[in-house]
PDB file of all heavy atoms in Angstrom:
ATOM      1  N   PRO O 124     -31.028   5.986 -29.851  1.00 98.00           N
ATOM      2  CA  PRO O 124     -31.391   7.080 -30.758  1.00 98.00           C
ATOM      3  C   PRO O 124     -30.887   8.433 -30.264  1.00 98.00           C
ATOM      4  O   PRO O 124     -31.036   8.773 -29.087  1.00 98.00           O
ATOM      5  CB  PRO O 124     -32.932   7.049 -30.758  1.00 98.00           C
ATOM      6  CG  PRO O 124     -33.282   5.672 -30.308  1.00 98.00           C
ATOM      7  CD  PRO O 124     -32.212   5.250 -29.370  1.00 98.00           C
ATOM      8  N   GLY O 125     -30.275   9.201 -31.164  1.00 98.00           N
ATOM      9  CA  GLY O 125     -29.840  10.553 -30.846  1.00 98.00           C
ATOM     10  C   GLY O 125     -28.656  10.651 -29.918  1.00 98.00           C
ATOM     11  O   GLY O 125     -28.241  11.759 -29.558  1.00 98.00           O
ATOM     12  N   ALA O 126     -28.072   9.539 -29.519  1.00 98.00           N
ATOM     13  CA  ALA O 126     -26.908   9.578 -28.630  1.00 98.00           C
ATOM     14  C   ALA O 126     -25.678  10.046 -29.410  1.00 98.00           C
ATOM     15  O   ALA O 126     -25.585   9.885 -30.628  1.00 98.00           O
ATOM     16  CB  ALA O 126     -26.649   8.206 -28.019  1.00 98.00           C
ATOM     17  N   VAL O 127     -24.706  10.623 -28.674  1.00 98.00           N
ATOM     18  CA  VAL O 127     -23.458  11.094 -29.271  1.00 98.00           C
ATOM     19  C   VAL O 127     -22.294  10.481 -28.493  1.00 98.00           C
ATOM     20  O   VAL O 127     -22.229  10.614 -27.266  1.00 98.00           O
ATOM     21  CB  VAL O 127     -23.360  12.633 -29.250  1.00 98.00           C
ATOM     22  CG1 VAL O 127     -22.010  13.085 -29.800  1.00 98.00           C
ATOM     23  CG2 VAL O 127     -24.499  13.252 -30.055  1.00 98.00           C
ATOM     24  N   VAL O 128     -21.384   9.828 -29.207  1.00 98.00           N
ATOM     25  CA  VAL O 128     -20.184   9.241 -28.606  1.00 98.00           C
ATOM     26  C   VAL O 128     -18.983   9.735 -29.403  1.00 98.00           C
ATOM     27  O   VAL O 128     -18.886   9.478 -30.609  1.00 98.00           O
ATOM     28  CB  VAL O 128     -20.239   7.698 -28.620  1.00 98.00           C
ATOM     29  CG1 VAL O 128     -18.938   7.125 -28.060  1.00 98.00           C
ATOM     30  CG2 VAL O 128     -21.430   7.193 -27.828  1.00 98.00           C
ATOM     31  N   ARG O 129     -18.076  10.470 -28.737  1.00 95.00           N
ATOM     32  CA  ARG O 129     -16.908  11.020 -29.426  1.00 95.00           C
ATOM     33  C   ARG O 129     -15.634  10.693 -28.643  1.00 95.00           C
ATOM     34  O   ARG O 129     -15.586  10.877 -27.428  1.00 95.00           O
ATOM     35  CB  ARG O 129     -17.005  12.547 -29.564  1.00 95.00           C
ATOM     36  CG  ARG O 129     -18.046  13.032 -30.544  1.00 95.00           C
ATOM     37  CD  ARG O 129     -17.836  14.514 -30.892  1.00 95.00           C
ATOM     38  NE  ARG O 129     -18.781  14.948 -31.895  1.00 95.00           N
ATOM     39  CZ  ARG O 129     -19.852  15.704 -31.646  1.00 95.00           C
ATOM     40  NH1 ARG O 129     -20.082  16.116 -30.409  1.00 95.00           N
ATOM     41  NH2 ARG O 129     -20.660  16.052 -32.613  1.00 95.00           N
ATOM     42  N   GLY O 130     -14.619  10.214 -29.353  1.00 92.00           N
ATOM     43  CA  GLY O 130     -13.306  10.023 -28.748  1.00 92.00           C
ATOM     44  C   GLY O 130     -13.324   9.206 -27.485  1.00 92.00           C
ATOM     45  O   GLY O 130     -12.656   9.549 -26.508  1.00 92.00           O
ATOM     46  N   SER O 131     -14.073   8.109 -27.462  1.00 95.00           N
ATOM     47  CA  SER O 131     -14.253   7.332 -26.246  1.00 95.00           C
ATOM     48  C   SER O 131     -14.003   5.852 -26.494  1.00 95.00           C
ATOM     49  O   SER O 131     -13.972   5.387 -27.634  1.00 95.00           O
ATOM     50  CB  SER O 131     -15.667   7.531 -25.691  1.00 95.00           C
ATOM     51  OG  SER O 131     -15.890   8.892 -25.323  1.00 95.00           O
ATOM     52  N   ILE O 132     -13.860   5.111 -25.386  1.00 95.00           N
ATOM     53  CA  ILE O 132     -13.729   3.659 -25.438  1.00 95.00           C
ATOM     54  C   ILE O 132     -14.896   3.058 -24.678  1.00 95.00           C
ATOM     55  O   ILE O 132     -15.094   3.350 -23.501  1.00 95.00           O
ATOM     56  CB  ILE O 132     -12.399   3.196 -24.825  1.00 95.00           C
ATOM     57  CG1 ILE O 132     -11.213   3.738 -25.644  1.00 95.00           C
ATOM     58  CG2 ILE O 132     -12.332   1.677 -24.759  1.00 95.00           C
ATOM     59  CD1 ILE O 132      -9.859   3.420 -25.045  1.00 95.00           C
ATOM     60  N   LEU O 133     -15.683   2.231 -25.358  1.00 97.00           N
ATOM     61  CA  LEU O 133     -16.807   1.541 -24.748  1.00 97.00           C
ATOM     62  C   LEU O 133     -16.501   0.048 -24.767  1.00 97.00           C
ATOM     63  O   LEU O 133     -16.386  -0.553 -25.843  1.00 97.00           O
ATOM     64  CB  LEU O 133     -18.114   1.826 -25.498  1.00 97.00           C
ATOM     65  CG  LEU O 133     -18.857   3.129 -25.173  1.00 97.00           C
ATOM     66  CD1 LEU O 133     -17.994   4.354 -25.429  1.00 97.00           C
ATOM     67  CD2 LEU O 133     -20.150   3.220 -25.963  1.00 97.00           C
ATOM     68  N   GLU O 134     -16.354  -0.525 -23.597  1.00 97.00           N
ATOM     69  CA  GLU O 134     -16.015  -1.935 -23.522  1.00 97.00           C
ATOM     70  C   GLU O 134     -17.249  -2.808 -23.743  1.00 97.00           C
ATOM     71  O   GLU O 134     -18.373  -2.328 -23.773  1.00 97.00           O
ATOM     72  CB  GLU O 134     -15.342  -2.232 -22.189  1.00 97.00           C
ATOM     73  CG  GLU O 134     -14.026  -1.470 -22.009  1.00 97.00           C
ATOM     74  CD  GLU O 134     -13.310  -1.821 -20.725  1.00 97.00           C
ATOM     75  OE1 GLU O 134     -13.781  -2.715 -19.991  1.00 97.00           O
ATOM     76  OE2 GLU O 134     -12.276  -1.192 -20.435  1.00 97.00           O
ATOM     77  N   SER O 135     -17.005  -4.105 -23.896  1.00 98.00           N
ATOM     78  CA  SER O 135     -18.064  -5.037 -24.291  1.00 98.00           C
ATOM     79  C   SER O 135     -19.276  -4.956 -23.368  1.00 98.00           C
ATOM     80  O   SER O 135     -19.145  -4.955 -22.145  1.00 98.00           O
ATOM     81  CB  SER O 135     -17.522  -6.465 -24.306  1.00 98.00           C
ATOM     82  OG  SER O 135     -16.520  -6.599 -25.296  1.00 98.00           O
ATOM     83  N   GLY O 136     -20.449  -4.887 -24.006  1.00 98.00           N
ATOM     84  CA  GLY O 136     -21.695  -4.860 -23.265  1.00 98.00           C
ATOM     85  C   GLY O 136     -22.094  -3.500 -22.739  1.00 98.00           C
ATOM     86  O   GLY O 136     -23.152  -3.370 -22.109  1.00 98.00           O
ATOM     87  N   ALA O 137     -21.298  -2.462 -22.975  1.00 98.00           N
ATOM     88  CA  ALA O 137     -21.655  -1.119 -22.518  1.00 98.00           C
ATOM     89  C   ALA O 137     -22.868  -0.612 -23.297  1.00 98.00           C
ATOM     90  O   ALA O 137     -23.104  -0.995 -24.443  1.00 98.00           O
ATOM     91  CB  ALA O 137     -20.483  -0.162 -22.694  1.00 98.00           C
ATOM     92  N   GLU O 138     -23.616   0.281 -22.662  1.00 98.00           N
ATOM     93  CA  GLU O 138     -24.809   0.827 -23.301  1.00 98.00           C
ATOM     94  C   GLU O 138     -24.888   2.333 -23.099  1.00 98.00           C
ATOM     95  O   GLU O 138     -24.699   2.830 -21.990  1.00 98.00           O
ATOM     96  CB  GLU O 138     -26.073   0.171 -22.745  1.00 98.00           C
ATOM     97  CG  GLU O 138     -27.345   0.654 -23.398  1.00 98.00           C
ATOM     98  CD  GLU O 138     -28.593  -0.084 -22.924  1.00 98.00           C
ATOM     99  OE1 GLU O 138     -28.446  -0.982 -22.080  1.00 98.00           O
ATOM    100  OE2 GLU O 138     -29.702   0.239 -23.402  1.00 98.00           O
ATOM    101  N   VAL O 139     -25.171   3.053 -24.182  1.00 98.00           N
ATOM    102  CA  VAL O 139     -25.405   4.493 -24.147  1.00 98.00           C
ATOM    103  C   VAL O 139     -26.838   4.698 -24.611  1.00 98.00           C
ATOM    104  O   VAL O 139     -27.170   4.442 -25.771  1.00 98.00           O
ATOM    105  CB  VAL O 139     -24.419   5.260 -25.047  1.00 98.00           C
ATOM    106  CG1 VAL O 139     -24.707   6.761 -24.997  1.00 98.00           C
ATOM    107  CG2 VAL O 139     -22.980   4.983 -24.623  1.00 98.00           C
ATOM    108  N   GLU O 140     -27.690   5.159 -23.716  1.00 98.00           N
ATOM    109  CA  GLU O 140     -29.107   5.255 -24.035  1.00 98.00           C
ATOM    110  C   GLU O 140     -29.409   6.513 -24.851  1.00 98.00           C
ATOM    111  O   GLU O 140     -28.547   7.358 -25.078  1.00 98.00           O
ATOM    112  CB  GLU O 140     -29.930   5.216 -22.746  1.00 98.00           C
ATOM    113  CG  GLU O 140     -29.812   3.894 -22.003  1.00 98.00           C
ATOM    114  CD  GLU O 140     -30.686   3.830 -20.766  1.00 98.00           C
ATOM    115  OE1 GLU O 140     -31.208   4.882 -20.341  1.00 98.00           O
ATOM    116  OE2 GLU O 140     -30.847   2.726 -20.216  1.00 98.00           O
ATOM    117  N   GLU O 141     -30.645   6.636 -25.255  1.00 98.00           N
ATOM    118  CA  GLU O 141     -31.044   7.703 -26.179  1.00 98.00           C
ATOM    119  C   GLU O 141     -30.726   9.098 -25.640  1.00 98.00           C
ATOM    120  O   GLU O 141     -30.872   9.368 -24.455  1.00 98.00           O
ATOM    121  CB  GLU O 141     -32.531   7.605 -26.494  1.00 98.00           C
ATOM    122  CG  GLU O 141     -33.451   7.727 -25.300  1.00 98.00           C
ATOM    123  CD  GLU O 141     -34.895   7.515 -25.681  1.00 98.00           C
ATOM    124  OE1 GLU O 141     -35.566   8.504 -26.028  1.00 98.00           O
ATOM    125  OE2 GLU O 141     -35.343   6.365 -25.616  1.00 98.00           O
ATOM    126  N   LEU O 142     -30.232   9.939 -26.538  1.00 98.00           N
ATOM    127  CA  LEU O 142     -29.938  11.348 -26.293  1.00 98.00           C
ATOM    128  C   LEU O 142     -28.822  11.572 -25.267  1.00 98.00           C
ATOM    129  O   LEU O 142     -28.643  12.682 -24.787  1.00 98.00           O
ATOM    130  CB  LEU O 142     -31.197  12.111 -25.855  1.00 98.00           C
ATOM    131  CG  LEU O 142     -32.351  12.114 -26.868  1.00 98.00           C
ATOM    132  CD1 LEU O 142     -33.565  12.818 -26.280  1.00 98.00           C
ATOM    133  CD2 LEU O 142     -31.931  12.767 -28.171  1.00 98.00           C
ATOM    134  N   ALA O 143     -28.088  10.542 -24.915  1.00 98.00           N
ATOM    135  CA  ALA O 143     -26.963  10.709 -23.993  1.00 98.00           C
ATOM    136  C   ALA O 143     -25.738  11.219 -24.750  1.00 98.00           C
ATOM    137  O   ALA O 143     -25.597  11.014 -25.959  1.00 98.00           O
ATOM    138  CB  ALA O 143     -26.642   9.392 -23.299  1.00 98.00           C
ATOM    139  N   LEU O 144     -24.820  11.863 -24.007  1.00 97.00           N
ATOM    140  CA  LEU O 144     -23.587  12.395 -24.589  1.00 97.00           C
ATOM    141  C   LEU O 144     -22.395  11.791 -23.857  1.00 97.00           C
ATOM    142  O   LEU O 144     -22.304  11.874 -22.631  1.00 97.00           O
ATOM    143  CB  LEU O 144     -23.565  13.921 -24.450  1.00 97.00           C
ATOM    144  CG  LEU O 144     -22.245  14.621 -24.815  1.00 97.00           C
ATOM    145  CD1 LEU O 144     -21.947  14.466 -26.304  1.00 97.00           C
ATOM    146  CD2 LEU O 144     -22.296  16.099 -24.434  1.00 97.00           C
ATOM    147  N   VAL O 145     -21.461  11.196 -24.607  1.00 98.00           N
ATOM    148  CA  VAL O 145     -20.244  10.621 -24.048  1.00 98.00           C
ATOM    149  C   VAL O 145     -19.064  11.184 -24.839  1.00 98.00           C
ATOM    150  O   VAL O 145     -18.972  10.989 -26.051  1.00 98.00           O
ATOM    151  CB  VAL O 145     -20.247   9.084 -24.129  1.00 98.00           C
ATOM    152  CG1 VAL O 145     -18.955   8.517 -23.548  1.00 98.00           C
ATOM    153  CG2 VAL O 145     -21.452   8.507 -23.403  1.00 98.00           C
ATOM    154  N   VAL O 146     -18.167  11.890 -24.159  1.00 95.00           N
ATOM    155  CA  VAL O 146     -17.025  12.515 -24.820  1.00 95.00           C
ATOM    156  C   VAL O 146     -15.749  12.194 -24.044  1.00 95.00           C
ATOM    157  O   VAL O 146     -15.684  12.395 -22.823  1.00 95.00           O
ATOM    158  CB  VAL O 146     -17.194  14.053 -24.914  1.00 95.00           C
ATOM    159  CG1 VAL O 146     -15.952  14.690 -25.539  1.00 95.00           C
ATOM    160  CG2 VAL O 146     -18.426  14.410 -25.720  1.00 95.00           C
ATOM    161  N   GLY O 147     -14.736  11.691 -24.739  1.00 93.00           N
ATOM    162  CA  GLY O 147     -13.420  11.487 -24.139  1.00 93.00           C
ATOM    163  C   GLY O 147     -13.437  10.641 -22.891  1.00 93.00           C
ATOM    164  O   GLY O 147     -12.687  10.907 -21.953  1.00 93.00           O
ATOM    165  N   SER O 148     -14.255   9.597 -22.854  1.00 96.00           N
ATOM    166  CA  SER O 148     -14.440   8.813 -21.637  1.00 96.00           C
ATOM    167  C   SER O 148     -14.196   7.336 -21.875  1.00 96.00           C
ATOM    168  O   SER O 148     -14.189   6.856 -23.007  1.00 96.00           O
ATOM    169  CB  SER O 148     -15.856   9.020 -21.082  1.00 96.00           C
ATOM    170  OG  SER O 148     -16.070  10.375 -20.700  1.00 96.00           O
TER     171      SER O 148
END
Side-chain angles (χ1 to χ4, degrees):
V127 176
V128 177
R129 289 195 176 104
S131 297
I132 296 175
L133 278 59
E134 298 183 4
S135 296
E138 182 175 0
V139 179
E140 295 183 347
E141 60 184 270
L142 300 176
L144 171 66
V145 179
V146 177
S148 297

